[in-house]
Amino acid sequence: MDPSGIGNDCKNEFCIDNLIAARKSLKLCLEKSKTLGLALEKAGPRLEEINQRLPSLEAAVRPIRADKDALVAVGGHINRAVGPAAAVLKVFDAVHGLEKSLLSDPRNDLPGYLSVLKRLEEALKFLGDNCGLAIQWLEDIIEYLEDNRVADGRYLLNMKTSLKGLRELQNDGERVHLDGGLLDAALDKLENEFRRLLMEHSVPLPMSSPPLGEQACIAPSLLPVTVIQKLQAILGRLIANNRLEKCIAIYVEVRSSNVRASLKALDLDYLEISVSEFNDMQSIEGYIGQWGKHLEFAVKHLFEAEFKLCNDVFERIGLDVWMGCFAKIAAQAGILAFLQFGKTITESKKEPIKLLKLLDIFASLNKLRLDFNRLFGGAACIEIQNLTRDLIKRVIDGAAEIFWEIFVQVELQRQSPPPQDGSIPKLVSSITDYCNKLLGDDYRPILTQVLVIHQSWKHKKFQEMILVNEVSKIIKAVDLNLDTWMKAYGDTTLSCLFAMNCHWHLYKDLKGTKVGELMGDSWLKEHEQYKEYYSAVFFRESWAKLPVHLSREGLIMFSGGRASARDLVKKRLKTFNEAFDEMYRKQSGWVIPERDLREKTCELIVQTVLPVYRSYMQTYGPLVEQDASSSKYAKYTVQGLEQMLLSLFLPRRERYGSFKGRPTGSKIDNGVDLRRTASAVA
């Protein structure tokens, strides 16, 4: 055998053995790696848990590593910081213990509710006062721990963040955050209870009886004492929490609404009338009388009661508060509307009657002067004071201006034409009545006071007789107007009728009046004499001329000549009829307004004309009665003529339906024929 071959075989066997050994070794390593992987997989969560626990372990170990002196001192610092913080937390827990009571309805137990609310306020005050101190102590201990490296840095960082948030809350109004809004909710409930108490006991004042203006006593307080006490108790808590303005707003809203409801029954829509909405003073004259009564009622009964009630409810707070509250109620309830209406009257067109209405307004305001000064005299009522002063000034200036213009206006009327029907000019009748009112007991003292004030504003001394002297001057100006107007008529008879009307009016209507007393008996007697004089002239120049046309002269001579007598009678009757018709036509449009003067005048005309006509027709009527044309001459019956004469001078409103003369042959409504035979005339 070849030795080299044997050697190669030995080498191959050695290599195989090595490979087998290496394979076994690798297999063993793989098994170990797999076992190690499984072990590592199981150890992972444990390592994570250990990693999470390391910071706390490190923090727990840190004090051991800290300086010994720092560790000794830290206990005192912690105790000082934890004490206030623990007290704050204890009170905070107590605050939340009050929540159930404070979210209940105050009306069930108002004293108890207010007591609990006060405890809440005290707790919040404690928290407000001590939270800052507790935060300061905690900040100090954190700073100490940080400086001495006694605590963990992350722990300190979390503490700093928390304390920073608390400090920001404190600066932003810690009360809201400390109680979670509980105090505000409780205060809102108290406000609602305040409103409820007011509304349930605020009832409009009844207006049914007694009649307006006759109520002698001032209306009492409209709230029971127990309710006022509750309102004051609620006010105490709300004021302590800076809610006074809200309380006043509620009070003003409820009470002013109650006053408006009381006034609504008076129907005060007229207070909203503007200057452009009425044509003349007569259209709102009645409202001015109502205005005075309504204003007096509002001041003496409604506003007086509110004034007293404001004092009762808010007296503990101070004069300025309750006076300010009352001022708002008065303004919102309608006192300004009353004053504005008065101002509207002063801005209206100037008319004589406006003077009387301005005096009425002044009298109403003057009657309430003391009440206005007492109720609205405070600084809070400055708007009402200004409007009242402005109204009084406007009233006095306007009244004085109209009064001094009366004489001028009377003189200006002198240039206007007199009435075409001879009646009394409206100026004469109105100015005499007007002056009587100015001198009467109702207006004279008021007008005198107005003139005194107006003169004082102009730094002029008031003369005692200035009023009567001015009225006397006005009446004398009317006399001059009458003389001028008489001369303006082209017809003398109409001029006499006009003079008769006016002089009789001045005599009769002014006798026994203030103006009549002022002008004197001789002045009145003079007008009576003028009336008689012009009445005589009127008859002489008109109706007294008619009987002349019925002359009997010459008829006796023709007693034997019937035809000639008939012709003469016809001629004279025709002349009479023509004269009568012309006179009646002209004077049927004339007017005598005074009934007694008219009846007396008509009766005198009848007495002047009718007896002559009756006698003439009785004697000579038969001469023309049988004539075919008798209606041309025997035109009127005695009865018809009398009725025609008695219907003269009626004012236009009385003429409708009155009898007027009718020609012969016509019939009046009762069917009686006016034409009579001469022998039948009585």
Side-chain angles (χ1 to χ4, degrees), residues 391-402:
L391 175 57
I392 292 174
K393 186 176 188 308
R394 286 171 174 269
V395 167
I396 291 176
D397 286 342
E401 182 181 2
I402 295 174

Side-chain angles (χ1 to χ4, degrees), residues 344-607:
T344 300
I345 300 302
T346 65
E347 293 173 344
S348 63
K349 184 175 62 176
K350 286 193 298 183
E351 304 174 56
I353 192 174
K354 181 178 175 180
L355 170 57
L356 302 180
K357 298 303 107 183
L358 291 177
L359 294 179
D360 288 338
I361 292 175
F362 179 83
S364 297
L365 293 173
N366 193 52
K367 184 178 181 181
L368 297 172
R369 179 169 54 87
L370 295 179
D371 298 285
F372 263 74
N373 290 340
R374 180 169 51 84
L375 298 179
F376 310 117
C381 296
I382 189 66
E383 181 182 9
I384 298 174
Q385 295 168 24
N386 289 338
L387 287 175
T388 304
R389 280 193 292 266
D390 179 64
L391 175 57
I392 292 174
K393 186 176 188 308
R394 286 171 174 269
V395 167
I396 291 176
D397 286 342
E401 182 181 2
I402 295 174
F403 176 73
W404 294 118
E405 284 186 0
I406 295 174
F407 174 76
V408 177
Q409 292 300 320
V410 170
E411 284 194 317
L412 290 175
Q413 289 293 317
R414 198 171 296 160
Q415 307 303 319
S416 61
Q420 294 181 355
D421 58 6
S423 61
I424 302 168
K426 186 177 180 180
L427 171 71
V428 176
S429 57
S430 61
I431 204 67
T432 52
D433 179 60
Y434 191 72
C435 289
N436 266 321
K437 289 181 178 179
L438 294 182
L439 293 179
D441 295 337
D442 291 336
Y443 286 108
R444 182 169 181 170
I446 303 171
L447 179 55
T448 300
Q449 187 176 359
V450 165
L451 294 176
V452 168
I453 296 173
H454 191 258
Q455 293 289 89
S456 69
W457 287 350
K458 292 187 173 184
H459 306 290
K460 295 181 180 179
K461 185 177 180 180
F462 179 77
Q463 299 176 2
E464 189 65 30
M465 299 298 292
I466 192 170
L467 176 57
V468 295
N469 289 341
E470 187 67 18
V471 171
S472 175
K473 190 168 72 169
I474 292 169
I475 298 300
K476 289 177 180 178
V478 171
D479 271 344
L480 289 176
N481 285 13
L482 295 182
D483 291 340
T484 303
W485 287 331
M486 280 182 59
K487 298 173 183 176
Y489 285 107
D491 188 308
T492 303
T493 310
L494 180 57
S495 175
C496 290
L497 179 80
F498 170 78
M500 181 175 66
N501 274 331
C502 293
H503 288 295
W504 179 246
H505 171 79
L506 291 176
Y507 169 74
K508 182 188 175 186
D509 281 27
L510 295 184
K511 186 178 181 180
T513 66
K514 297 293 183 180
V515 172
E517 293 174 4
L518 171 65
M519 302 308 294
D521 290 339
S522 60
W523 183 87
L524 291 171
K525 190 66 176 176
E526 185 177 273
H527 281 285
E528 183 185 26
Q529 292 171 349
Y530 275 132
K531 172 260 175 187
E532 295 294 340
Y533 170 76
Y534 286 112
S535 178
V537 175
F538 170 76
F539 278 103
R540 187 179 69 237
E541 297 298 325
S542 57
W543 297 102
K545 294 181 178 181
L546 276 181
V548 177
H549 297 297
L550 298 178
S551 171
R552 296 169 183 255
E553 185 180 352
L555 291 177
I556 256 252
M557 297 173 55
F558 294 98
S559 57
R562 189 176 183 85
S564 299
R566 182 185 302 113
D567 291 340
L568 188 56
V569 169
K570 285 182 179 180
K571 181 178 179 182
R572 288 178 179 172
L573 282 175
K574 182 180 180 183
T575 304
F576 172 85
N577 290 336
E578 289 174 351
F580 175 83
D581 288 345
E582 174 60 23
M583 195 172 299
Y584 185 84
R585 180 193 62 77
K586 181 170 66 173
Q587 296 194 18
S588 61
W590 297 356
V591 172
I592 300 179
E594 302 280 356
R595 181 178 178 179
D596 53 350
L597 178 62
R598 181 175 65 251
E599 291 178 351
K600 183 178 179 181
T601 302
C602 290
E603 194 62 40
L604 187 57
I605 294 174
V606 169
Q607 293 174 7

